[in-house]
Amino acid sequence: MSHSRWMYRVGAVTFAAAALTACSTGSDNASSPATSTGTSQSAAPIVEPLVTTYDGGLYVLDGRTLEVKKDIPLGGFLRVNPAGDDAHVLVTTSAGFRILDAASGRLTEDTFPAVDAGHVTPHGENTVLFDDGTGEITAFDPHDLGKGGLPPTRTFTTPEPHHGVAVILSDGTLLETRGNPDTRTGAVALQGDREIAGNRDCPGVHGEAVAADEVVILGCENGVITFADGRFTKIASPTPYGRVGNTRGHQDSPVVLGDMKIDADAEHERPEQFALIDTVTDQMKIVRLPAGVSYWFRSLGRGPQAEALIMGTDGKLHVFDPATGDLVKSIAVTGPWTEPDDWQQPGPAVFTRGDAVYVSDPGTKQIHLVDLAGGTVTESVTLEQTPNELSGVLGHDH
């Protein structure tokens, strides 16, 4: 299985709230302690590590039992993303992207430096980091992470710094966004130093996902653009304003799940609809949630059969058929909740990996493991601190 199945299945990999500022780190932890407590380094590896942040540190959990295996103190607002292999997670700090050896529960000192660390995009043999502060792109082979220290890297630079994202495809093509600190306009595809395709009809470009046959989607404020077979295609929103900013793909599905905001004048829209984008027919379908139910940027996920998952404010995980948009089932997971006004504050988050679907519940300080097929919560753990971001390693079969 390629990494494309996993890179977009995390609230933090496409990773963003409605505004540009929703992905800035806002952290200040360069001098925070790196010590950790709990199991010793000689202990058995943590099984299928799951990582959640809290105000003041990180918990590393056993992905099957949800037992907390490590509590790592670290100050500042923290973000976590899969590093691209089965053992490591990248922690966003004020200094850059810091390597967490999640399998051993050890936060290393090894950091990919960044002025303003932004998106992390694992795909295939490349994990790509974007520095919003400089526009610099850093790429490395995630399989080199287990060799100790920082792996060898390749770097690329966009013309102007912006809140951007980049991905390297299996043939070596580099897709990167274009913009500046005030405006983001679209993306280009590069082979070496040569631009092979470009599209500037993507205002507010944000977020990325990969669908079946390695079709890449980038969200816009008027729909999305896709890249496949060496060219970009515009898929317009059926609404005058239709902002897609966070997307989730699945390697076995041509359909990508995207959030959808339709009120251009809203200061803080709480969407009650989402988008299903078919990369074969180049059509976008808008699907409404049950009446009165909304969601936020950490609510999206894809199930093992490519199910489209939305964690609603009614406390239920809503499972949709991605091909038809039909609601298949709704699974009670948490109590009702309200999206916080500040995107950095805790709210329910979804992380999926293989057959496992994890949901955090900051209201009760819990993490839940959900069985989609059975429609039940099979494991839960109550933490000492309130969980915020939720992520983990990709697993052996990615």
Side-chain angles (χ1 to χ4, degrees):
M1 183 178 296
S2 74
H3 289 184
S4 59
R5 174 170 181 174
W6 307 110
M7 62 192 274
Y8 310 102
R9 301 174 65 178
V10 189
V13 175
T14 28
F15 332 92
L20 167 61
T21 54
C23 274
S24 62
T25 63
S27 58
D28 183 17
N29 47 32
S31 61
S32 300
T35 57
S36 59
T37 59
T39 55
S40 68
Q41 293 184 27
S42 60
I46 298 171
V47 176
E48 298 174 10
L50 184 70
V51 179
T52 185
T53 66
Y54 63 86
D55 185 8
L58 305 152
Y59 290 124
V60 184
L61 288 69
D62 181 304
R64 295 180 184 173
T65 67
L66 301 187
E67 179 184 355
V68 176
K69 292 293 189 178
K70 208 75 166 185
D71 180 356
I72 303 173
L74 191 63
F77 177 69
L78 305 173
R79 311 214 71 188
V80 283
N81 295 282
D85 67 353
D86 61 4
H88 296 85
V89 166
L90 295 180
V91 181
T92 302
T93 74
S94 60
F97 306 90
R98 190 166 170 180
I99 299 174
L100 169 64
D101 184 343
S104 66
R106 184 174 61 90
L107 182 63
T108 74
E109 297 288 347
D110 299 318
T111 303
F112 298 95
V115 172
D116 186 5
H119 282 237
V120 177
T121 312
H123 180 66
E125 301 304 309
N126 291 280
T127 295
V128 183
L129 314 176
F130 201 98
D131 184 345
D132 294 347
T134 64
E136 186 169 86
I137 296 164
T138 301
F140 64 92
D141 184 338
H143 302 101
D144 289 336
L145 288 169
K147 299 176 182 178
L150 286 174
T153 61
R154 293 179 292 151
T155 57
F156 313 88
T157 303
T158 58
E160 294 182 275
H162 63 285
H163 178 55
V165 67
V167 59
I168 296 177
L169 302 181
S170 58
D171 66 355
T173 300
L174 170 66
L175 259 62
E176 61 183 48
T177 54
R178 285 287 192 261
N180 58 48
D182 300 315
T183 306
R184 305 192 302 282
T185 56
V188 298
L190 303 169
Q191 288 184 349
D193 295 329
R194 183 172 64 95
E195 180 178 323
I196 62 168
N199 186 295
R200 298 302 198 277
D201 183 20
C202 189
V205 60
H206 189 278
E208 83 304 311
V210 175
D213 297 322
E214 210 177 28
V215 180
V216 181
I217 274 191
L218 299 171
C220 317
E221 291 175 351
N222 58 3
V224 301
I225 54 176
T226 67
F227 179 82
D229 300 322
R231 62 186 178 90
F232 285 97
T233 301
K234 178 71 181 187
I235 303 178
S237 168
T239 56
Y241 175 84
R243 182 191 185 275
V244 177
N246 303 276
T247 50
R248 300 288 183 273
H250 190 290
Q251 74 158 16
D252 298 329
S253 173
V255 178
V256 170
L257 167 67
D259 60 359
M260 170 60 75
K261 294 190 174 184
I262 57 176
D263 185 353
D265 299 322
E267 181 178 350
H268 195 126
E269 181 178 353
R270 290 178 164 85
E272 298 183 358
Q273 66 287 315
F274 61 91
L276 292 173
I277 304 116
D278 190 322
T279 61
V280 172
T281 63
D282 293 334
Q283 297 293 313
M284 176 184 294
K285 177 188 300 182
I286 295 181
V287 182
R288 293 197 64 83
L289 284 162
V293 178
S294 63
Y295 66 99
W296 76 325
F297 76 106
R298 292 192 178 109
S299 292
L300 308 180
R302 299 300 291 269
Q305 305 303 318
E307 301 96 331
L309 310 178
I310 302 277
M311 183 62 204
T313 52
D314 57 351
K316 295 177 181 177
L317 185 67
H318 299 279
V319 183
F320 291 87
D321 183 318
T324 64
D326 293 337
L327 179 62
V328 177
K329 66 179 70 173
S330 298
I331 304 169
V333 180
T334 75
W337 55 280
T338 302
E339 178 183 350
D341 291 331
D342 178 357
W343 73 273
Q344 292 188 357
Q345 292 302 306
V350 176
F351 173 63
T352 63
R353 177 177 59 200
D355 292 335
V357 177
Y358 303 96
V359 177
S360 65
D361 182 2
T364 60
K365 299 183 179 179
Q366 289 182 307
I367 306 288
H368 304 288
L369 177 58
V370 180
D371 175 9
L372 282 189
T376 60
V377 174
T378 57
E379 297 286 346
S380 298
V381 65
T382 301
L383 306 171
E384 290 185 10
Q385 304 290 334
T386 302
N388 195 342
E389 291 219 341
L390 186 65
S391 189
V393 306
L394 294 182
H396 287 283
D397 60 345
H398 60 279

PDB file of all heavy atoms in Angstrom, residues 292-313:
ATOM      1  N   GLY A 292     -29.203  20.613  11.678  1.00  0.00           N
ATOM      2  CA  GLY A 292     -28.662  21.224  12.882  1.00  0.00           C
ATOM      3  C   GLY A 292     -27.279  20.753  13.275  1.00  0.00           C
ATOM      4  O   GLY A 292     -26.737  21.204  14.288  1.00  0.00           O
ATOM      5  N   VAL A 293     -26.686  19.854  12.483  1.00  0.00           N
ATOM      6  CA  VAL A 293     -25.365  19.304  12.815  1.00  0.00           C
ATOM      7  C   VAL A 293     -24.301  20.010  11.983  1.00  0.00           C
ATOM      8  O   VAL A 293     -24.431  20.139  10.768  1.00  0.00           O
ATOM      9  CB  VAL A 293     -25.305  17.785  12.551  1.00  0.00           C
ATOM     10  CG1 VAL A 293     -23.915  17.236  12.844  1.00  0.00           C
ATOM     11  CG2 VAL A 293     -26.359  17.062  13.392  1.00  0.00           C
ATOM     12  N   SER A 294     -23.235  20.472  12.647  1.00  0.00           N
ATOM     13  CA  SER A 294     -22.096  21.047  11.943  1.00  0.00           C
ATOM     14  C   SER A 294     -20.829  20.285  12.330  1.00  0.00           C
ATOM     15  O   SER A 294     -20.886  19.279  13.058  1.00  0.00           O
ATOM     16  CB  SER A 294     -21.964  22.546  12.242  1.00  0.00           C
ATOM     17  OG  SER A 294     -21.712  22.776  13.616  1.00  0.00           O
ATOM     18  N   TYR A 295     -19.691  20.781  11.877  1.00  0.00           N
ATOM     19  CA  TYR A 295     -18.423  20.091  12.119  1.00  0.00           C
ATOM     20  C   TYR A 295     -17.312  21.104  11.966  1.00  0.00           C
ATOM     21  O   TYR A 295     -17.543  22.274  11.634  1.00  0.00           O
ATOM     22  CB  TYR A 295     -18.245  18.915  11.145  1.00  0.00           C
ATOM     23  CG  TYR A 295     -18.099  19.348   9.705  1.00  0.00           C
ATOM     24  CD1 TYR A 295     -16.847  19.437   9.102  1.00  0.00           C
ATOM     25  CD2 TYR A 295     -19.227  19.679   8.939  1.00  0.00           C
ATOM     26  CE1 TYR A 295     -16.717  19.840   7.783  1.00  0.00           C
ATOM     27  CE2 TYR A 295     -19.099  20.091   7.627  1.00  0.00           C
ATOM     28  CZ  TYR A 295     -17.852  20.177   7.052  1.00  0.00           C
ATOM     29  OH  TYR A 295     -17.714  20.594   5.765  1.00  0.00           O
ATOM     30  N   TRP A 296     -16.050  20.652  12.191  1.00  0.00           N
ATOM     31  CA  TRP A 296     -14.928  21.560  11.974  1.00  0.00           C
ATOM     32  C   TRP A 296     -13.784  20.832  11.314  1.00  0.00           C
ATOM     33  O   TRP A 296     -13.927  19.668  10.923  1.00  0.00           O
ATOM     34  CB  TRP A 296     -14.544  22.266  13.268  1.00  0.00           C
ATOM     35  CG  TRP A 296     -13.774  21.462  14.300  1.00  0.00           C
ATOM     36  CD1 TRP A 296     -13.898  20.136  14.590  1.00  0.00           C
ATOM     37  CD2 TRP A 296     -12.782  21.980  15.180  1.00  0.00           C
ATOM     38  NE1 TRP A 296     -13.047  19.790  15.601  1.00  0.00           N
ATOM     39  CE2 TRP A 296     -12.347  20.902  15.978  1.00  0.00           C
ATOM     40  CE3 TRP A 296     -12.214  23.230  15.375  1.00  0.00           C
ATOM     41  CZ2 TRP A 296     -11.354  21.044  16.962  1.00  0.00           C
ATOM     42  CZ3 TRP A 296     -11.242  23.373  16.355  1.00  0.00           C
ATOM     43  CH2 TRP A 296     -10.826  22.296  17.137  1.00  0.00           C
ATOM     44  N   PHE A 297     -12.624  21.509  11.183  1.00  0.00           N
ATOM     45  CA  PHE A 297     -11.573  20.984  10.320  1.00  0.00           C
ATOM     46  C   PHE A 297     -10.947  19.693  10.829  1.00  0.00           C
ATOM     47  O   PHE A 297     -10.354  18.952  10.066  1.00  0.00           O
ATOM     48  CB  PHE A 297     -10.492  22.045  10.076  1.00  0.00           C
ATOM     49  CG  PHE A 297      -9.539  22.281  11.224  1.00  0.00           C
ATOM     50  CD1 PHE A 297      -8.246  21.810  11.168  1.00  0.00           C
ATOM     51  CD2 PHE A 297      -9.938  22.991  12.349  1.00  0.00           C
ATOM     52  CE1 PHE A 297      -7.348  22.039  12.205  1.00  0.00           C
ATOM     53  CE2 PHE A 297      -9.044  23.236  13.388  1.00  0.00           C
ATOM     54  CZ  PHE A 297      -7.753  22.752  13.322  1.00  0.00           C
ATOM     55  N   ARG A 298     -11.074  19.393  12.120  1.00  0.00           N
ATOM     56  CA  ARG A 298     -10.520  18.140  12.641  1.00  0.00           C
ATOM     57  C   ARG A 298     -11.526  16.988  12.582  1.00  0.00           C
ATOM     58  O   ARG A 298     -11.253  15.896  13.066  1.00  0.00           O
ATOM     59  CB  ARG A 298     -10.044  18.334  14.088  1.00  0.00           C
ATOM     60  CG  ARG A 298      -8.837  19.259  14.229  1.00  0.00           C
ATOM     61  CD  ARG A 298      -8.232  19.179  15.620  1.00  0.00           C
ATOM     62  NE  ARG A 298      -7.041  20.030  15.734  1.00  0.00           N
ATOM     63  CZ  ARG A 298      -6.980  21.156  16.438  1.00  0.00           C
ATOM     64  NH1 ARG A 298      -8.036  21.586  17.089  1.00  0.00           N
ATOM     65  NH2 ARG A 298      -5.862  21.870  16.498  1.00  0.00           N
ATOM     66  N   SER A 299     -12.696  17.228  11.981  1.00  0.00           N
ATOM     67  CA  SER A 299     -13.780  16.234  11.980  1.00  0.00           C
ATOM     68  C   SER A 299     -13.673  15.201  10.878  1.00  0.00           C
ATOM     69  O   SER A 299     -14.387  14.203  10.903  1.00  0.00           O
ATOM     70  CB  SER A 299     -15.136  16.937  11.826  1.00  0.00           C
ATOM     71  OG  SER A 299     -15.477  17.719  12.943  1.00  0.00           O
ATOM     72  N   LEU A 300     -12.807  15.417   9.874  1.00  0.00           N
ATOM     73  CA  LEU A 300     -12.840  14.604   8.660  1.00  0.00           C
ATOM     74  C   LEU A 300     -11.958  13.368   8.761  1.00  0.00           C
ATOM     75  O   LEU A 300     -10.869  13.409   9.333  1.00  0.00           O
ATOM     76  CB  LEU A 300     -12.379  15.435   7.469  1.00  0.00           C
ATOM     77  CG  LEU A 300     -13.061  16.783   7.239  1.00  0.00           C
ATOM     78  CD1 LEU A 300     -12.461  17.456   6.011  1.00  0.00           C
ATOM     79  CD2 LEU A 300     -14.551  16.625   7.078  1.00  0.00           C
ATOM     80  N   GLY A 301     -12.412  12.277   8.147  1.00  0.00           N
ATOM     81  CA  GLY A 301     -11.607  11.063   8.074  1.00  0.00           C
ATOM     82  C   GLY A 301     -12.120  10.153   6.971  1.00  0.00           C
ATOM     83  O   GLY A 301     -13.192  10.372   6.410  1.00  0.00           O
ATOM     84  N   ARG A 302     -11.334   9.136   6.648  1.00  0.00           N
ATOM     85  CA  ARG A 302     -11.744   8.104   5.702  1.00  0.00           C
ATOM     86  C   ARG A 302     -11.616   6.743   6.367  1.00  0.00           C
ATOM     87  O   ARG A 302     -10.613   6.442   7.022  1.00  0.00           O
ATOM     88  CB  ARG A 302     -10.870   8.123   4.434  1.00  0.00           C
ATOM     89  CG  ARG A 302     -10.931   9.410   3.641  1.00  0.00           C
ATOM     90  CD  ARG A 302     -12.327   9.759   3.144  1.00  0.00           C
ATOM     91  NE  ARG A 302     -12.817   8.870   2.103  1.00  0.00           N
ATOM     92  CZ  ARG A 302     -12.645   9.077   0.794  1.00  0.00           C
ATOM     93  NH1 ARG A 302     -11.961  10.136   0.384  1.00  0.00           N
ATOM     94  NH2 ARG A 302     -13.162   8.241  -0.084  1.00  0.00           N
ATOM     95  N   GLY A 303     -12.628   5.919   6.194  1.00  0.00           N
ATOM     96  CA  GLY A 303     -12.623   4.586   6.774  1.00  0.00           C
ATOM     97  C   GLY A 303     -11.848   3.599   5.932  1.00  0.00           C
ATOM     98  O   GLY A 303     -11.353   3.926   4.844  1.00  0.00           O
ATOM     99  N   PRO A 304     -11.727   2.345   6.404  1.00  0.00           N
ATOM    100  CA  PRO A 304     -10.932   1.335   5.690  1.00  0.00           C
ATOM    101  C   PRO A 304     -11.482   0.995   4.306  1.00  0.00           C
ATOM    102  O   PRO A 304     -10.732   0.588   3.426  1.00  0.00           O
ATOM    103  CB  PRO A 304     -10.975   0.123   6.628  1.00  0.00           C
ATOM    104  CG  PRO A 304     -12.157   0.351   7.512  1.00  0.00           C
ATOM    105  CD  PRO A 304     -12.270   1.835   7.674  1.00  0.00           C
ATOM    106  N   GLN A 305     -12.791   1.173   4.099  1.00  0.00           N
ATOM    107  CA  GLN A 305     -13.398   0.939   2.789  1.00  0.00           C
ATOM    108  C   GLN A 305     -13.656   2.254   2.076  1.00  0.00           C
ATOM    109  O   GLN A 305     -14.548   2.341   1.229  1.00  0.00           O
ATOM    110  CB  GLN A 305     -14.710   0.150   2.950  1.00  0.00           C
ATOM    111  CG  GLN A 305     -14.556  -1.153   3.704  1.00  0.00           C
ATOM    112  CD  GLN A 305     -13.536  -2.086   3.074  1.00  0.00           C
ATOM    113  OE1 GLN A 305     -13.506  -2.218   1.844  1.00  0.00           O
ATOM    114  NE2 GLN A 305     -12.720  -2.729   3.890  1.00  0.00           N
ATOM    115  N   ALA A 306     -12.886   3.274   2.436  1.00  0.00           N
ATOM    116  CA  ALA A 306     -12.970   4.624   1.851  1.00  0.00           C
ATOM    117  C   ALA A 306     -14.220   5.376   2.289  1.00  0.00           C
ATOM    118  O   ALA A 306     -14.568   6.398   1.705  1.00  0.00           O
ATOM    119  CB  ALA A 306     -12.877   4.592   0.326  1.00  0.00           C
ATOM    120  N   GLU A 307     -14.894   4.891   3.335  1.00  0.00           N
ATOM    121  CA  GLU A 307     -16.056   5.608   3.838  1.00  0.00           C
ATOM    122  C   GLU A 307     -15.685   7.059   4.156  1.00  0.00           C
ATOM    123  O   GLU A 307     -14.579   7.344   4.601  1.00  0.00           O
ATOM    124  CB  GLU A 307     -16.598   4.952   5.120  1.00  0.00           C
ATOM    125  CG  GLU A 307     -17.005   3.504   4.956  1.00  0.00           C
ATOM    126  CD  GLU A 307     -15.920   2.518   5.375  1.00  0.00           C
ATOM    127  OE1 GLU A 307     -14.732   2.868   5.279  1.00  0.00           O
ATOM    128  OE2 GLU A 307     -16.285   1.406   5.793  1.00  0.00           O
ATOM    129  N   ALA A 308     -16.617   7.967   3.908  1.00  0.00           N
ATOM    130  CA  ALA A 308     -16.418   9.368   4.259  1.00  0.00           C
ATOM    131  C   ALA A 308     -16.941   9.582   5.679  1.00  0.00           C
ATOM    132  O   ALA A 308     -18.109   9.319   5.964  1.00  0.00           O
ATOM    133  CB  ALA A 308     -17.149  10.277   3.277  1.00  0.00           C
ATOM    134  N   LEU A 309     -16.060  10.041   6.564  1.00  0.00           N
ATOM    135  CA  LEU A 309     -16.392  10.167   7.976  1.00  0.00           C
ATOM    136  C   LEU A 309     -16.427  11.642   8.382  1.00  0.00           C
ATOM    137  O   LEU A 309     -15.521  12.404   8.059  1.00  0.00           O
ATOM    138  CB  LEU A 309     -15.361   9.442   8.845  1.00  0.00           C
ATOM    139  CG  LEU A 309     -15.031   7.997   8.459  1.00  0.00           C
ATOM    140  CD1 LEU A 309     -13.952   7.436   9.388  1.00  0.00           C
ATOM    141  CD2 LEU A 309     -16.288   7.126   8.502  1.00  0.00           C
ATOM    142  N   ILE A 310     -17.485  12.021   9.105  1.00  0.00           N
ATOM    143  CA  ILE A 310     -17.602  13.374   9.638  1.00  0.00           C
ATOM    144  C   ILE A 310     -18.007  13.270  11.104  1.00  0.00           C
ATOM    145  O   ILE A 310     -19.065  12.715  11.422  1.00  0.00           O
ATOM    146  CB  ILE A 310     -18.675  14.200   8.898  1.00  0.00           C
ATOM    147  CG1 ILE A 310     -18.364  14.288   7.403  1.00  0.00           C
ATOM    148  CG2 ILE A 310     -18.795  15.588   9.533  1.00  0.00           C
ATOM    149  CD1 ILE A 310     -17.401  15.350   7.006  1.00  0.00           C
ATOM    150  N   MET A 311     -17.176  13.806  12.001  1.00  0.00           N
ATOM    151  CA  MET A 311     -17.511  13.855  13.420  1.00  0.00           C
ATOM    152  C   MET A 311     -18.351  15.099  13.668  1.00  0.00           C
ATOM    153  O   MET A 311     -17.853  16.216  13.623  1.00  0.00           O
ATOM    154  CB  MET A 311     -16.221  13.877  14.260  1.00  0.00           C
ATOM    155  CG  MET A 311     -16.479  13.859  15.768  1.00  0.00           C
ATOM    156  SD  MET A 311     -17.332  12.363  16.295  1.00  0.00           S
ATOM    157  CE  MET A 311     -18.092  12.951  17.816  1.00  0.00           C
ATOM    158  N   GLY A 312     -19.645  14.905  13.918  1.00  0.00           N
ATOM    159  CA  GLY A 312     -20.580  16.012  14.025  1.00  0.00           C
ATOM    160  C   GLY A 312     -20.684  16.590  15.425  1.00  0.00           C
ATOM    161  O   GLY A 312     -20.310  15.951  16.419  1.00  0.00           O
ATOM    162  N   THR A 313     -21.207  17.818  15.496  1.00  0.00           N
ATOM    163  CA  THR A 313     -21.379  18.482  16.795  1.00  0.00           C
ATOM    164  C   THR A 313     -22.478  17.837  17.631  1.00  0.00           C
ATOM    165  O   THR A 313     -22.648  18.192  18.795  1.00  0.00           O
ATOM    166  CB  THR A 313     -21.707  19.973  16.588  1.00  0.00           C
ATOM    167  OG1 THR A 313     -22.816  20.094  15.682  1.00  0.00           O
ATOM    168  CG2 THR A 313     -20.514  20.714  16.009  1.00  0.00           C
TER     169      THR A 313
END
